[in-house]
Amino acid sequence: CIVEGICRIDVGGKLLTNYLKEIVSYRQLQVLDETFVMNQVKEDVCFVSSDLYSDMDTCKQCGSANTISVDYVLPDYTNCRRGYIRQEKGTDKNEQALRLSNERFTVPELLFH
């Protein structure tokens, strides 16, 4: 019977946000209490990879060869109310930014495994 071979797994946006929070908190900046901000990060920069292994190889590259890595500037709630992807490579000393590389496509991969 087919019904016995079907299993529901509750995987959705909140689980993906929490997974992204754990990864970023482990690698860069403690953001476990920043669910709203990390949800915005997830919505702005994450994508589903069409070729996972090729994108993983691209992430291992240095400099301009790594076309996947982005800097996401966190909101400071005085000058900007929403984070954004930094377009130019210059840094402002008043900005806090997250460097996101393979997290951009490995977080949504939870939906498929």
Side-chain angles (χ1 to χ4, degrees), residues 5-87:
I6 297 173
C7 174
R8 179 183 170 127
I9 300 174
D10 293 325
V11 175
K14 180 136 175 93
L15 183 104
L16 297 178
T17 302
N18 289 338
Y19 183 56
L20 181 62
K21 286 191 315 185
E22 286 181 25
I23 291 174
V24 171
S25 293
Y26 179 73
R27 293 184 183 175
Q28 296 182 43
L29 183 67
Q30 211 289 20
V31 291
L32 288 175
D33 296 332
E34 301 295 336
T35 303
F36 181 74
V37 173
M38 292 310 292
N39 190 53
Q40 288 179 341
V41 171
K42 178 190 71 176
E43 291 175 355
D44 289 347
V45 302
C46 288
F47 65 95
V48 175
S49 174
S50 59
D51 187 0
L52 179 68
Y53 297 109
S54 173
D55 286 343
M56 287 295 270
D57 290 337
T58 302
C59 286
K60 294 176 185 175
Q61 303 296 320
C62 295
S64 62
N66 185 348
T67 56
I68 294 175
S69 181
V70 296
D71 289 336
Y72 190 84
V73 178
L74 297 172
D76 60 3
Y77 297 109
T78 55
N79 297 324
C80 66
R81 308 235 358 119
R82 182 173 175 90
Y84 58 92
I85 298 171
R86 183 184 294 150
Q87 299 299 327

